[in-house]
Amino acid sequence: MDSTWFRRFGPTPEGRMRLVCFPHAGGAASSFLPLSRALGGRLDVLAVQYPGRQDRRREEPYGAITAHADALAEALEPLTGEPYALFGHSMGAVLAYETTRRLAAAGRPGPRRVFLSGRGAPSRLPNAHDRLGSDAEILAAVRGLGGTGHAVLDDPELLDMVMPALRADYGALGTYTWDGGPPLDSPVTAIVGDADPVVAIDEAAAWHDHTTGDFGLEILPGGHFYLDERTADVCEIITNGLLAAGSAA
């Protein structure tokens, strides 16, 4: 396992399927600590650590989804010899989707299921929330979504540390366009909060068109970061989704 890219927050459970989690824009691997603990013993949870944050903060963050997905597919490829699933939230959903496409193009085994959370399908019109130019617009959006603690946003020193990653991530989302291509072979579960201000339920449902496999749509109470309050529900969706894929952990 590439220790540069992946973080594990507990002991390695023997014989359990691996779940690789992709954080949101500006997010870090630690955002999946609660989910990792809740799934402990049932799945081997790995969280992706993007460049430009936490212990990788001195590295240059990626400014394009395509380049970022290329690097993620390369890092993930050695892990595809054993059963695995992917979970991506918000920007992480885009990266999980694009990484899966690259692994398929390389002839690698695909994930048993891809969980795409808090993001509409890329075939829909560009999301205005992605088209943010100034730091002030980015910070206003982040505050509105609640994904980064206000203690960080209100502390000038901490803000200086997180802004490069936020700028790069929103820049990457702002220039991302879907280029068509074949749908995924892997089953997909889309998850969305019923009060998400930037992802409509029909946009999440449109992920159905991006897979030839089984598709499920799950709607949970909450906003864009519904999973912060609904960890147990997300765990149930993941485990049930893997059972549906014939891949019980």
Side-chain angles (χ1 to χ4, degrees):
M1 184 182 78
D2 188 338
S3 60
T4 303
W5 281 96
F6 304 111
R7 303 290 177 270
R8 183 184 280 118
F9 298 113
T12 306
E14 295 296 330
R16 297 299 184 179
M17 185 185 297
R18 184 169 287 137
L19 177 71
V20 183
C21 300
F22 297 67
H24 57 278
S30 59
S31 65
F32 287 110
L33 178 58
L35 185 64
S36 177
R37 287 177 172 169
L39 286 169
R42 287 184 278 174
L43 295 171
D44 179 17
V45 181
L46 298 180
V48 177
Q49 188 74 297
Y50 304 143
R53 56 218 81 197
Q54 292 186 338
D55 55 334
R56 299 187 71 185
R57 65 184 179 277
R58 298 187 185 280
E59 300 177 46
E60 192 70 23
Y62 284 93
I65 293 294
T66 51
H68 205 168
D70 288 344
L72 284 162
E74 182 179 353
L76 191 59
E77 186 171 350
L79 304 182
T80 60
E82 298 180 358
Y84 70 101
L86 304 183
F87 182 102
H89 182 68
S90 197
M91 183 186 79
V94 180
L95 287 171
Y97 165 71
E98 289 291 349
T99 298
T100 303
R101 296 177 76 194
R102 283 155 174 75
L103 291 170
R108 301 302 300 170
R112 296 298 178 90
R113 197 167 197 100
V114 185
F115 298 90
L116 301 171
S117 165
R119 184 77 193 184
S123 52
R124 291 303 186 96
L125 294 174
N127 191 325
H129 178 76
D130 296 339
R131 275 40 180 185
L132 303 177
S134 68
D135 286 359
E137 289 177 320
I138 292 171
L139 288 173
V142 171
R143 286 181 185 276
L145 294 178
T148 301
H150 287 281
V152 173
L153 300 179
D154 293 337
D155 185 311
E157 291 186 8
L158 293 176
L159 188 59
D160 283 344
M161 294 175 64
V162 302
M163 276 310 302
L166 280 170
R167 289 188 197 106
D169 290 352
Y170 273 95
L173 288 170
T175 56
Y176 171 70
T177 55
W178 182 60
D179 61 1
L184 304 183
D185 294 329
S186 300
V188 168
T189 297
I191 317 172
V192 65
D194 64 359
D196 193 321
V198 295
V199 182
I201 291 173
D202 67 308
E203 292 172 339
W207 280 111
H208 178 275
D209 299 329
H210 293 268
T211 179
T212 59
D214 175 65
F215 176 79
L217 174 65
E218 299 285 349
I219 304 168
L220 293 177
H224 191 65
F225 285 94
Y226 71 87
L227 67 171
D228 291 343
E229 304 297 329
R230 298 286 172 177
T231 301
D233 293 328
V234 174
C235 290
E236 184 177 1
I237 289 169
I238 290 171
T239 53
N240 288 344
L242 293 177
L243 284 169
S247 320

